[in-house]
Amino acid sequence: MPLTQDQILRFLQSVHPYDALPQDTLDSLSGQMTSRAVASGDLIYDLGDELPGIFIIHDGEVEVADENGEVVSHLGTRNTFGERGLLREGRAVTKPRAVTDATLLILPAKAFRRLIDTHDPVHRFFDRSRTDKQSKQRRQSLATTQVDTFMARAPITCAPEATVRDAAILMRDHRVSSLCMTEGDRLVGILTTRDMAGKVVAEALPSDTPVSDVMTSNPITLAPSSIGSDVLHVMMEKRIGHLPIVEGDTLVGIVSQTDLTRFQAVSSAELVRELAQAADAEEMRAVTKRIPQLLLQLVAGGSPHQVVTRLITDIADTATRRLVALAEEKLGPAPVPYLWLACGSQGRQEQTGVSDQDNCLILSDDVTDADRDGYFADLAKFVCDGLDTCGYVYCPGDMMAMNPRWCQPLSVWRGYFENWIAKPVPEAQMLASVMFDLRPIAGDARLFGNLQTETLAMAAKNSIFVAHMVSNGLKHTPPLGLLRGFATIRSGEHKNRLDMKHNGVVPVVDLGRVYALQGQLAEANTRARLVAAINAGVLSQSGGQDLLDAYDLIAETRLEHQAEQVKAGQAPDNFLAPAELSEFDRSHLRDAFVVVKSMQSAIGHGRGMLG
């Protein structure tokens, strides 16, 4: 039986890049698509055939062979094929064949080309030159990135009078390919594995030969302020693979060809690919441990904060979906439909280098108590434990699907929201704030669609609830002190620092949530909420743009702080010392906080807009 338009629409909402399209565009696409059932072994089209459009696999598996009959791809649900030929002359350049019975969706060629021309996410996804462009961008990013971003700190050293045997043991034990020779902190030479092979082994020198006899004295060095292109040029010109980094005569780091390769290799797409193929949570942890390096690379490359946090959140989404899939492999198929959702920063697609987990489960109303307390409790524990293993630590407030309160049938969830809105006591305000940031991650998204629409409409109509949400949203205030200063933390381990989360981005997050409530806007991402609020007239153009600019500055300052910590070999956090900023940056940051405070004041006095 052919798929209905509603079924196609729900499916498209789970497929990238279509999930990034506006709802009206998705509605139009779902009406233009047709479905085709193919049997196992069927040839879908042959080389040279005129293509009717682009194909998306709804269910089943497909093998794609080239003109020589070699299988080049094995595709499954949500995968696309046919775009290569379609973007050339409209004729097939491969031969796809169904491996199993399958259902395919076909978007007509004309509609597909129009989509590429009018929507950037689709254009970027299908642009055949994107790999070359991305490689070029990575090279440019490396070439212009300061050396202290990717150098290895605290390089392994030894004294010049040490023996070559001592040096070999150090290299082996620390798994390094070079040693820096120092006298105190002063660099006097370098010894590499190539030196050991060519000067020691090849010449059959005794193992007690002093390192000073075979090391390269007074090696070529660079300063930490050098950029990647300086390293590349020196290495190519001098044909060397290791460059010590010094400040004056003091050794502060070293860069090897491996460091350059590692810096270029970290990408969100690669981490997503590895997570999607991971066998267990331990294997996934090895992948997520590289997120700080990704953050550093993205920030160093000048990526906007909304791009950095979206890419980092995509990794959390993939980890969650993989854990859900592994749970189903272990527990068997779910007894009833369910939906795993994220809230908090993951729900808003705003994760940084510091994230705990906030999630919940919505179950079909057909679920039994036994299934909820058995299968779904086990699934929730498996996924939450796995996320904790991956570094997304347990939520301090127990806002997790493994808490039975947040693993409930749809009717119970509907009752939760109705009660919170009808009786906005402090706990209800807090819970509603968290739950208004919900975003589906894995499972049947239909369980959330109507609930979200109904809740937004119900909440917006209740002026008392809106007033309480506004009040709740003003509890986090920007850290403004007297005399154009900052109100820093007064005591504890973070004394004299700014909390760039709770007093920085959270006040804007709270404002965005209130604007979304007032305008019944479905967006969960804070920046998207602000843009939608401007477009809907909830925010004035001038006031909204000021708030957007302020938010961008605050969020990017927070990320730059975390990137500096990663660069220094520290765990990233949200606590910034104003003294670390230049006077210029401090002034601009304070001005941004002033804008946020002004917007809080406006909405607190019943004015949704600031002129």
Side-chain angles (χ1 to χ4, degrees):
M1 179 183 296
L3 296 173
T4 66
Q5 181 178 348
D6 187 52
Q7 288 174 315
I8 294 173
L9 174 61
R10 290 197 301 271
F11 179 72
L12 286 179
Q13 290 170 332
S14 70
V15 181
H16 193 67
Y18 309 101
D19 60 351
L21 295 175
Q23 188 60 47
D24 57 347
T25 303
L26 279 176
D27 291 339
S28 174
L29 285 183
S30 62
Q32 297 176 68
M33 282 187 162
T34 57
S35 61
R36 177 195 298 179
V38 292
S40 176
D42 281 358
L43 182 67
I44 298 167
Y45 54 73
D46 208 343
L47 285 168
D49 285 355
E50 184 172 352
L51 293 168
I54 190 168
F55 291 73
I56 307 172
I57 303 173
H58 182 273
D59 57 75
E61 297 178 9
V62 172
E63 279 186 350
V64 180
D66 62 16
E67 58 186 359
N68 299 313
E70 293 290 328
V71 175
V72 294
S73 299
H74 190 104
L75 307 177
T77 300
R78 294 183 177 82
N79 289 152
T80 298
F81 60 94
E83 67 272 19
R84 284 181 57 206
L86 210 56
L87 291 171
R88 293 183 182 180
E89 297 178 354
R91 294 192 175 275
V93 294
T94 57
K95 295 172 59 174
R97 187 182 300 274
V99 178
T100 66
D101 291 347
T103 304
L104 310 176
L105 296 178
I106 306 169
L107 177 63
K110 187 175 180 179
F112 174 64
R113 293 190 180 96
R114 184 166 59 248
L115 202 60
I116 285 181
D117 291 340
T118 56
H119 292 278
D120 284 340
V122 182
H123 175 80
R124 289 194 299 270
F125 188 81
F126 289 106
D127 182 5
R128 298 326 311 179
S129 64
R130 70 185 186 277
T131 301
D132 291 339
K133 288 179 180 177
Q134 289 169 349
S135 296
K136 183 178 179 182
Q137 288 168 352
R138 282 197 292 269
R139 288 195 298 272
Q140 289 175 336
S141 174
L142 172 66
T144 57
T145 298
Q146 201 159 297
V147 166
D148 64 357
T149 297
F150 54 82
M151 71 181 185
R153 298 173 185 276
I156 306 303
T157 65
C158 75
E161 57 268 23
T163 67
V164 292
R165 183 175 185 276
D166 295 332
I169 292 172
L170 277 173
M171 287 183 174
R172 180 200 65 191
D173 291 349
H174 291 279
R175 299 181 180 180
V176 294
S177 55
S178 68
L179 290 175
C180 291
M181 309 301 130
T182 56
E183 293 178 344
D185 291 332
R186 187 171 68 89
L187 176 72
V188 297
I190 187 170
L191 181 72
T192 68
T193 50
R194 185 166 67 177
D195 294 327
M196 296 289 276
K199 297 179 181 179
V200 179
V201 178
E203 299 297 331
L205 294 180
S207 62
D208 60 356
T209 300
V211 168
S212 57
D213 289 356
V214 293
M215 72 181 187
T216 300
S217 300
N218 302 314
I220 298 169
T221 63
L222 287 175
S225 58
S226 303
I227 58 176
S229 60
D230 297 329
V231 176
L232 292 168
H233 294 165
V234 170
M235 284 185 171
M236 291 178 183
E237 181 181 351
K238 303 299 183 181
R239 298 185 181 183
I240 57 177
H242 302 80
L243 261 175
I245 308 300
V246 299
E247 281 187 310
D249 290 333
T250 301
L251 178 70
V252 295
I254 190 166
V255 176
S256 68
Q257 291 178 339
T258 301
D259 296 320
L260 300 180
T261 301
R262 184 183 299 116
F263 182 81
Q264 296 183 89
V266 179
S267 73
S268 61
E270 180 64 15
L271 299 189
V272 163
R273 183 189 67 80
E274 292 182 28
L275 283 172
Q277 298 174 359
D280 53 38
E282 289 292 337
E283 194 172 310
M284 294 167 70
R285 177 168 62 178
V287 180
T288 54
K289 283 175 65 175
R290 289 150 55 195
I291 290 176
Q293 183 62 35
L294 172 65
L295 181 146
L296 172 58
Q297 182 172 324
L298 291 170
V299 172
S303 298
H305 71 91
Q306 66 268 27
V307 172
V308 178
T309 54
R310 171 63 186 267
L311 294 176
I312 290 176
T313 305
D314 285 347
I315 295 168
D317 291 354
T318 303
T320 304
R321 283 191 287 268
R322 182 56 182 156
L323 287 166
V324 169
L326 290 171
E328 288 191 355
E329 288 180 15
K330 177 182 178 181
L331 302 172
V336 298
Y338 70 92
L339 179 62
W340 186 282
L341 304 97
C343 44
S345 60
Q346 185 183 359
R348 297 189 305 273
Q349 296 178 300
E350 293 168 5
Q351 288 192 315
T352 66
V354 189
S355 296
D356 58 6
Q357 56 175 293
D358 298 280
N359 45 61
C360 63
L361 271 170
I362 298 179
L363 312 176
S364 165
D365 282 334
D366 295 330
V367 71
T368 65
D369 289 345
D371 287 334
R372 187 192 64 219
D373 299 335
Y375 181 93
F376 289 110
D378 292 342
L379 180 142
K381 187 174 189 312
F382 182 96
V383 177
C384 290
D385 286 349
L387 288 171
D388 181 69
T389 297
C390 291
Y392 303 102
V393 298
Y394 298 121
C395 173
D398 208 17
M399 185 68 68
M400 295 178 291
M402 63 191 293
N403 179 345
R405 187 180 185 185
W406 311 124
C407 177
Q408 293 290 341
L410 176 59
S411 58
V412 173
W413 278 101
R414 187 171 277 113
Y416 282 166
F417 280 103
E418 289 174 354
N419 289 333
W420 294 336
I421 293 168
K423 300 176 182 178
V425 297
E427 185 194 33
Q429 297 169 39
M430 182 275 291
L431 293 173
S433 295
V434 173
M435 293 304 177
F436 274 122
D437 295 345
L438 283 173
R439 182 170 60 87
I441 302 297
D444 192 337
R446 290 174 296 180
L447 291 168
F448 182 63
N450 290 338
L451 176 64
Q452 181 188 41
T453 304
E454 293 168 5
T455 300
L456 281 172
M458 186 192 322
K461 292 176 183 176
N462 189 320
S463 58
I464 296 176
F465 175 77
V466 172
H468 279 285
M469 286 293 288
V470 169
S471 176
N472 189 61
L474 300 180
K475 291 179 179 177
H476 296 102
T477 58
L480 292 170
L482 300 175
L483 303 176
R484 293 195 59 77
F486 294 106
T488 57
I489 298 170
R490 295 183 178 181
S491 61
E493 62 175 317
H494 303 301
K495 183 179 180 181
N496 298 327
R497 293 178 177 269
L498 302 174
D499 186 338
M500 293 298 292
K501 177 181 178 181
H502 291 103
N503 300 114
V505 297
V506 168
V508 188
V509 169
D510 290 340
L511 284 171
R513 190 182 296 114
V514 171
Y515 297 140
L517 178 59
Q518 291 176 331
Q520 298 184 48
L521 309 173
E523 286 80 2
N525 175 265
T526 298
R527 202 177 194 284
R529 280 172 167 169
L530 298 181
V531 172
I534 294 170
N535 293 336
V538 177
L539 266 172
S540 71
Q541 184 68 41
S542 59
Q545 189 58 56
D546 285 346
L547 185 56
L548 273 174
D549 292 343
Y551 179 55
D552 288 343
L553 178 61
I554 294 166
E556 284 170 9
T557 301
R558 178 194 185 197
L559 283 181
E560 287 164 3
H561 163 68
Q562 292 188 2
E564 286 297 320
Q565 289 180 301
V566 174
K567 186 192 299 184
Q570 302 169 3
D573 63 26
N574 291 301
F575 301 100
L576 169 68
E580 295 175 4
L581 301 174
S582 68
E583 179 59 38
F584 178 86
D585 289 338
R586 285 198 298 272
S587 176
H588 279 266
L589 181 60
R590 191 182 188 284
D591 288 344
F593 287 143
V594 169
V595 170
V596 177
K597 185 65 175 178
S598 299
M599 297 300 286
Q600 287 185 324
S601 178
I603 203 167
H605 287 84
R607 303 191 308 275
M609 294 181 280
L610 182 67

